[in-house]
Amino acid sequence: MNNIDLKVDLGPLTLKNPVITASGTFGYGDELTPYLDPDKLGAITVKGLTVEPTEGNLTPRIAETTGCLLNSIGLENPGLEEFINSKIEVIKNIDTEVFVNISGHSLDDFCVLAESLAPFEEISALEVNVSCPNIKGGGMAFGTDSDLVYQVTKKVKENYGGTIIVKLSPNVTDIVEMADAAVTGGADIISLINTLLGMAIDTDKQKPVLANTFGGLSGPAIKPVALRMVYQVARKVDIPIIGMGGIMTAEDLIEFIMAGADAVAIGTATLVNPSASIDILDGIKEYMNNNNINDLSEIRGNALE
Amino acid sequence: MAEILSNKKVGTDYYYMEFKDSTINEKWSPGEFLHLKVSAEKSYDPLLRRPLSLFDVKLEEKIAGLLYCVVGRGTRILTQFEPGYEIDYIGPLGQGFSLKRNKKILIIGGGMGIAPLYYLTRKLVKKNNKIKILLGGNIETDINFFEKKFKNLNLDIDISLMDGSRGYKGTVIDLWQNKYKGFKPEFIYSCGPEIMLKGIQKIAIKEDIPGEISLEERMGCGVGICLSCVCSTTDGHQRVCKEGPVFSLKEVVFNE
């Protein structure tokens, strides 16, 4: 048995291992305790938070496509005030890093969220979701405009003061341009990718399956896109990267590490198997033992040219 | 280990699967469901699990039965599962029915909705309840299997079919409100198409009869995380997989 060290350096943060659970797939950290111990994970990312309580979209909110899941939950969450009143307590009891994902419909929203969450030491970092629409500015997603990515990042960093992770949208022509904007804006860490925009049509009813028409695509079939984007960003930026998109197994995680990611997030896999993140963590240990790797830094970015 | 004992077609697109599992215990309750993997081992296609409600549980024999309707790719794959195959499931999940005692009860179900009501009835029978069962469907093969199972319980049962080939011609609500006009239960348990549940809720509110219904919604994780399966209630959104699938009859807010 090797002396395996799973610790991961994520800039201002150190994680005990590279396995993080993605926002929207793990609740607030305590719901899945019948299936696994969240304290064993590198970090958990809580469900996306908005300033006001958000009811979310009408159902159907999900559709299954080959090797994929389409979702349009609509960021249903209790809102900032309720989060502070009841969820911070839950986070306090979690013995690993906790990232809070924030979503805003305007720059102001992002500022309010960042400022309001700044005092809480229980929170290890904010993850900034730039995939939401800039409603006050015409409705295009922040993440599709590099100047907006820069501005949101800068505002959140200024108002939060602590570690910020910027989660990029893949629905762009040039992911590296967006990553650069986040870095210039002051991001400590980049995470990617969020979901791809997609849809499904019910041929019996002759209309879209999702009540909201379009939804976010996730799951094993998007892995090649996610991997490509992580690879492109890793070639260019120097800050730590959390890679995500279709990771189901330890081998998938290794691909992302070799593409230059420092850590990964597991999302859809948890919806298929509640204990997926722990299974993957165990799988990594086995992989490292079988391949005589003591530290993932030995293979990090090895596939980069 | 959950080994399939049988998996047979029992009605219009309905299949009944029985499996043996040593972990089955007295906590397996009516109204709860199992979240089944339908993809082959190490395959991700279909990606998501499928929720199937418990049809029956035989505690001593450690056998459980699931009744499912073939509605899409996942359930079609399920029909190919053979005896001897090990199924991968999570659960039982969800909040089941509360078991009333000493009451005059109406069990009223439509089509596939009848599935969770059988195990419920078997439990209610042991609690000194006076039970009337009304089952409805479109055509005979929608309800034959259920009718036979319920008849074995020696209870007061009647059926309705939209095509009128047997029993009362019309909906199961017509059956109740016309043929059994004066029958006013102290508690209603129901499951079936939304239009039926809406009709029953209307009557229950008008006549001030309490009850419980089991809802259905597309599910993702099945364990309360993804928020795919929410329904509207008088208390805001609730998750069909976690706060449900059983809800109190009056709290559910149906779409217009």
Side-chain angles (χ1 to χ4, degrees):
Chain A
M1 194 62 122
N2 292 336
N3 259 341
I4 291 178
D5 184 359
L6 287 169
K7 270 207 300 295
V8 167
D9 174 13
L10 271 191
L13 302 173
T14 305
L15 303 188
K16 57 168 83 100
N17 64 62
V19 180
I20 303 168
T21 56
S23 175
T25 66
F26 210 76
Y28 295 91
D30 59 348
E31 291 96 326
L32 291 183
T33 42
Y35 305 97
L36 57 82
D37 179 4
D39 295 346
K40 293 211 170 86
L41 297 167
I44 67 159
T45 312
V46 305
K47 170 79 188 184
L49 183 61
T50 53
V51 176
E52 297 299 325
T54 302
E55 213 180 46
N57 294 328
L58 294 174
T59 57
R61 290 177 167 185
I62 58 161
E64 184 191 73
T65 59
T66 306
C68 271
L69 169 65
L70 266 176
N71 92 78
S72 64
I73 308 293
L75 283 177
E76 176 168 337
N77 79 92
L80 183 57
E81 195 182 323
E82 179 63 22
F83 177 81
I84 290 174
N85 289 338
S86 62
K87 302 297 184 190
I88 292 282
E89 269 311 301
V90 173
I91 290 173
K92 214 186 266 201
N93 292 325
I94 295 173
D95 191 23
T96 191
E97 309 303 312
V98 177
F99 304 153
V100 174
N101 180 290
I102 59 171
S103 293
H105 297 304
S106 63
L107 279 176
D108 270 343
D109 278 356
F110 280 108
C111 291
V112 168
L113 288 161
E115 199 184 328
S116 309
L117 296 172
F120 298 101
E121 284 169 1
E122 297 83 349
I123 302 173
S124 316
L126 293 188
E127 184 183 54
V128 186
N129 174 18
V130 297
S131 296
C132 26
N134 181 12
I135 293 187
K136 300 218 174 115
M140 285 300 292
F142 287 98
T144 59
D145 181 324
S146 58
D147 187 51
L148 286 175
V149 170
Y150 166 76
Q151 284 186 50
V152 171
T153 306
K154 190 157 182 288
K155 285 282 178 200
V156 172
K157 185 69 182 173
E158 275 167 11
N159 285 279
Y160 183 59
T163 304
I164 69 164
I165 306 164
V166 176
K167 183 171 180 179
L168 300 179
S169 162
N171 301 306
V172 297
T173 310
D174 185 351
I175 191 74
V176 176
E177 184 190 333
M178 303 307 161
D180 276 340
V183 172
T184 314
D188 299 291
I189 304 163
I190 302 256
S191 65
L192 76 165
I193 56 173
N194 207 324
T195 51
L196 290 160
L197 197 60
M199 74 178 298
I201 291 177
D202 183 329
T203 54
D204 288 328
K205 298 184 182 149
Q206 298 193 20
K207 54 182 201 145
V209 174
L210 298 175
N212 202 50
T213 309
F214 301 142
L217 195 69
S218 66
I222 75 164
K223 195 182 81 173
V225 177
L227 204 51
R228 184 263 297 178
M229 291 192 167
V230 165
Y231 190 98
Q232 287 177 315
V233 170
R235 274 195 304 208
K236 187 75 192 326
V237 311
D238 290 323
I239 64 173
I241 295 170
I242 298 169
M244 67 183 103
I247 298 172
M248 306 294 285
T249 64
E251 282 69 34
D252 294 332
L253 186 156
I254 294 297
E255 282 190 69
F256 277 78
I257 300 291
M258 290 182 177
D262 296 85
V264 304
I266 311 297
T268 303
T270 300
L271 305 195
V272 176
N273 271 324
S275 61
S277 50
I278 290 292
D279 294 342
I280 289 169
L281 182 59
D282 291 341
I284 286 300
K285 293 174 191 164
E286 197 184 316
Y287 176 90
M288 290 168 81
N289 272 323
N290 292 343
N291 291 278
N292 284 314
I293 297 169
N294 291 341
D295 192 317
L296 287 173
S297 58
E298 295 169 39
I299 57 167
R300 179 162 293 113
N302 279 7
L304 291 170
E305 285 153 4
Chain B
M1 296 277 105
E3 187 187 308
I4 294 179
L5 300 173
S6 64
N7 186 16
K8 299 196 193 102
K9 186 166 190 194
V10 294
T12 343
D13 298 327
Y14 301 164
Y15 283 72
Y16 184 54
M17 179 193 292
E18 275 196 329
F19 67 93
K20 197 178 173 81
D21 186 346
S22 56
T23 65
I24 290 173
N25 60 40
E26 66 286 340
K27 292 220 203 86
W28 287 46
S29 304
E32 294 177 345
F33 67 97
L34 302 184
H35 212 28
L36 243 75
K37 181 179 199 290
V38 300
S39 49
E41 203 192 345
K42 298 201 195 288
S43 168
Y44 305 127
D45 184 43
L47 184 63
L48 298 174
R49 290 174 182 266
R50 300 309 198 246
L52 304 194
S53 41
L54 293 176
F55 177 82
D56 198 9
V57 176
K58 297 173 196 167
L59 198 53
E60 285 86 50
E61 298 156 84
K62 302 281 183 190
I63 291 175
L66 306 172
L67 193 119
Y68 60 97
C69 189
V70 178
V71 293
R73 202 166 151 246
T75 38
R76 206 166 304 125
I77 289 170
L78 264 184
T79 65
Q80 305 300 309
F81 284 18
E82 307 241 295
Y85 188 71
E86 295 283 345
I87 53 168
D88 175 342
Y89 70 85
I90 305 170
L93 302 170
Q95 299 300 314
F97 293 104
S98 62
L99 301 175
K100 298 294 171 193
R101 48 174 70 243
N102 308 321
K103 295 249 182 278
K104 185 173 162 198
I105 290 176
L106 173 64
I107 304 265
I108 177 167
M112 241 325 266
I114 300 169
L117 301 174
Y118 176 72
Y119 184 31
L120 168 67
T121 307
R122 280 214 310 107
K123 290 268 188 183
L124 289 174
V125 153
K126 300 182 188 154
K127 291 186 183 290
N128 196 38
N129 291 300
K130 188 156 185 289
I131 305 173
K132 181 184 221 40
I133 300 163
L134 298 178
L135 307 177
N138 288 325
I139 56 179
E140 224 191 346
T141 45
D142 289 349
I143 61 161
N144 280 348
F145 175 76
F146 297 122
E147 193 188 0
K148 219 184 309 181
K149 281 282 194 181
F150 275 94
K151 275 203 166 130
N152 287 339
L153 300 177
N154 287 318
L155 296 170
D156 170 18
I157 172 174
D158 204 348
I159 64 155
S160 69
L161 290 172
M162 292 305 285
D163 73 355
S165 57
R166 236 182 4 99
Y168 184 90
K169 183 172 166 51
T171 69
V172 73
I173 293 183
D174 292 338
L175 172 60
W176 176 19
Q177 297 290 287
N178 295 333
K179 188 168 175 189
Y180 297 99
K181 209 163 157 152
F183 181 76
K184 183 175 167 173
E186 292 171 293
F187 202 86
I188 300 173
Y189 292 98
S190 186
C191 184
E194 190 173 296
I195 183 168
M196 185 198 95
L197 294 175
K198 260 200 250 198
I200 290 175
Q201 188 188 56
K202 265 205 183 80
I203 298 168
I205 289 173
K206 179 155 164 268
E207 315 255 321
D208 196 23
I209 309 169
E212 285 177 354
I213 54 178
S214 177
L215 296 185
E216 203 179 51
E217 185 58 73
R218 270 174 196 261
M219 278 186 196
C221 66
V223 293
I225 292 295
C226 67
L227 304 182
S228 301
C229 67
V230 297
C231 65
S232 297
T233 72
T234 49
D235 199 15
H237 277 169
Q238 306 288 322
R239 297 163 289 187
V240 172
C241 70
K242 192 84 174 170
E243 285 81 39
V246 174
F247 292 95
S248 119
L249 184 42
K250 290 170 188 167
E251 74 175 311
V252 178
V253 175
F254 292 104
N255 295 327
E256 275 318 302

